[in-house]
Amino acid sequence: MNILFCSVGRRCELLKDFKRTLGSRVRLIVTDNSPYAPALEFADVSYRGPLIYDKAYIPMLLEICKREGIDAVTTLIDPEIAILSEHREAFEELGVTVLAPYRETAALCFDKYEMSKYLEKKGIPTVKTFGSLDGFMRAYEKGEIDFPVFVKPRTGSGSVGARRIDTRKMLEEVVSRDETLIIQELMTGEDMDADVYVDTVSHKPVAIFSKKKISTTIGGANKTISFKDERLFDFVQKALSVFEFNGPLDMDLFYQDGEYYLSEINPRFGGAYLHAYGAGVDFPALIYNNVKEKKENAARIGEYDEGVVMMMYDSVVIKKLKDIQENMVSL
């Protein structure tokens, strides 16, 4: 299987996991705008390309697909998800499976305010969210929400700009400086997430791995512990039934007052997917079965041990500049 990872960045361990599972049955072809992305060193072929919004970007990806005989393509950054979704037909004409959600679902996942409205409409419990200060103040004056609250960018990723706000004055100041912020109820329950694989044949979730967050940094959780709850598995499947996903995704969740709430969905490999893989939830094998064998995967929901802990740490790649330059292909 020839799989193309776009905007590969620092996702070295993810590439290693594909090799651990599939060995010589997989070729890893990757792209990045920077020649200094460390994950480039763990691929079979590396390409340097323009920024994702450049008009030459999609033509470059399609040319790579032709040149390398690509079977599947995915991205590891949020802004690119919708771009792949919008060009799904062009990839599929080349026989390439797009491991990204369909267009409407991709747009909802990128816009957190539209996502919250959609979830409310579909009856999926979610974090109470307001798209403007005026909307929040109307609810505040009715006693429907109170301080402290939580603000974060309407679009974006990696928890950049997300923070707690304790007073009305502080909220007014913050929103006046950045009108793209959404205002949310401050959730005080357990912070957790789920790594999910949506089968590309059946379009149903076939693997769910849930974990509680022990510690987080900007960009996500860096210490987590696995757990199981049939109620959570049912909640995840119900929530995903109102979307059109295709492949791996990461769901941010809260458990509060005896109920699960969906915060947001990142329809790509989550940064902490490494925990799921280490606990035996093997998305590379599921992808291979879908993409190369053209088979539907059997459901393996909850097939892992509880109490498995992930503890992230830092590592480095050391290379000579001339070797970096020589190893990266340009189109």
Side-chain angles (χ1 to χ4, degrees):
M1 176 175 68
N2 298 321
I3 184 167
L4 174 59
F5 287 96
C6 303
S7 304
V8 73
R10 296 161 51 90
R11 304 298 290 275
C12 308
E13 292 298 323
L14 178 63
L15 299 188
K16 290 181 187 179
D17 287 347
F18 269 79
K19 286 293 189 180
R20 288 188 186 102
T21 289
L22 299 173
S24 61
R25 291 181 296 158
V26 69
R27 286 179 72 243
L28 304 177
I29 297 89
V30 303
T31 72
D32 205 274
N33 178 250
S34 170
Y36 307 116
L40 298 172
E41 300 302 322
F42 297 90
D44 294 294
V45 183
S46 302
Y47 286 87
R48 184 179 183 183
L51 295 172
I52 62 172
Y53 296 115
D54 192 296
K55 64 181 181 180
Y57 186 69
I58 288 296
M60 181 203 72
L61 294 186
L62 294 173
E63 180 58 32
I64 292 172
C65 289
K66 295 174 187 176
R67 178 182 293 193
E68 302 292 347
I70 298 297
D71 297 298
V73 60
T74 193
T75 179
L76 299 174
I77 61 170
D78 293 321
E80 192 173 0
I81 293 167
I83 295 173
L84 292 184
S85 297
E86 289 165 6
H87 294 88
R88 180 181 300 277
E89 290 184 3
F91 287 103
E92 290 182 344
E93 286 177 2
L94 299 177
V96 179
T97 299
V98 179
L99 297 173
Y102 289 81
R103 185 174 299 186
E104 291 183 8
T105 293
L108 286 169
C109 290
F110 193 59
D111 189 321
K112 298 176 179 64
Y113 181 53
E114 290 300 323
M115 169 67 91
S116 72
K117 292 195 296 181
Y118 182 77
L119 290 172
E120 287 184 1
K121 178 182 175 182
K122 295 296 183 179
I124 306 297
T126 187
V127 182
K128 191 175 293 182
T129 302
F130 302 89
S132 68
L133 181 61
D134 288 343
F136 168 80
M137 290 309 303
R138 286 194 293 269
Y140 174 73
E141 289 165 1
K142 292 177 183 178
E144 296 174 357
I145 192 168
D146 201 355
F147 290 96
V149 295
F150 197 75
V151 299
K152 60 185 179 184
R154 181 167 175 164
T155 61
S157 60
S159 303
V160 175
R163 56 206 182 276
R164 169 177 165 150
I165 301 294
D166 291 299
T167 66
R168 176 174 177 173
K169 180 180 179 182
M170 186 185 303
L171 180 64
E172 290 172 344
E173 289 176 354
V174 168
V175 174
S176 69
R177 293 196 298 268
D178 185 356
E179 294 183 356
T180 69
L181 294 174
I182 56 173
I183 306 163
Q184 294 187 315
E185 171 187 9
L186 181 68
M187 302 298 282
T188 56
E190 287 187 285
D191 190 1
M192 56 188 61
D193 67 23
D195 296 292
V196 184
Y197 184 77
V198 176
D199 195 86
T200 67
V201 177
S202 69
H203 301 291
K204 295 179 180 179
V206 293
I208 302 174
F209 176 82
S210 53
K211 55 190 184 288
K212 296 177 183 179
K213 298 176 184 178
I214 299 172
S215 172
T216 60
T217 58
I218 292 177
N222 60 2
K223 295 182 181 70
T224 52
I225 183 167
S226 65
F227 76 102
K228 297 183 187 183
D229 184 357
E230 291 298 330
R231 288 181 58 213
L232 174 59
F233 297 152
D234 291 342
F235 177 83
V236 167
Q237 291 175 87
K238 179 183 177 182
L240 294 184
S241 70
V242 302
F243 296 99
E244 290 185 300
F245 288 107
N246 203 53
L249 60 92
D250 169 73
M251 302 176 73
D252 289 337
L253 305 147
F254 289 98
Y255 184 70
Q256 185 162 308
D257 301 325
E259 298 291 337
Y260 285 104
Y261 294 85
L262 175 55
S263 175
E264 58 186 81
I265 303 176
N266 304 303
R268 51 168 171 75
F269 276 100
Y273 165 72
L274 303 174
H275 189 177
Y277 183 86
V281 185
D282 193 340
F283 285 12
L286 299 177
I287 291 171
Y288 186 88
N289 201 43
N290 277 166
V291 171
K292 202 64 182 174
E293 301 293 338
K294 308 297 183 185
K295 295 179 181 177
E296 178 180 336
N297 287 294
R300 298 167 183 166
I301 293 170
E303 291 189 5
Y304 57 90
D305 291 333
E306 293 188 281
V308 177
V309 179
M310 179 196 72
M311 298 163 283
M312 282 189 178
Y313 67 97
D314 293 329
S315 188
V316 298
V317 173
I318 307 295
K319 298 282 289 188
K320 288 186 176 180
L321 177 60
K322 67 180 182 64
D323 293 332
I324 294 174
Q325 294 168 337
E326 288 174 0
N327 291 340
M328 200 168 190
V329 180
S330 296
L331 289 179

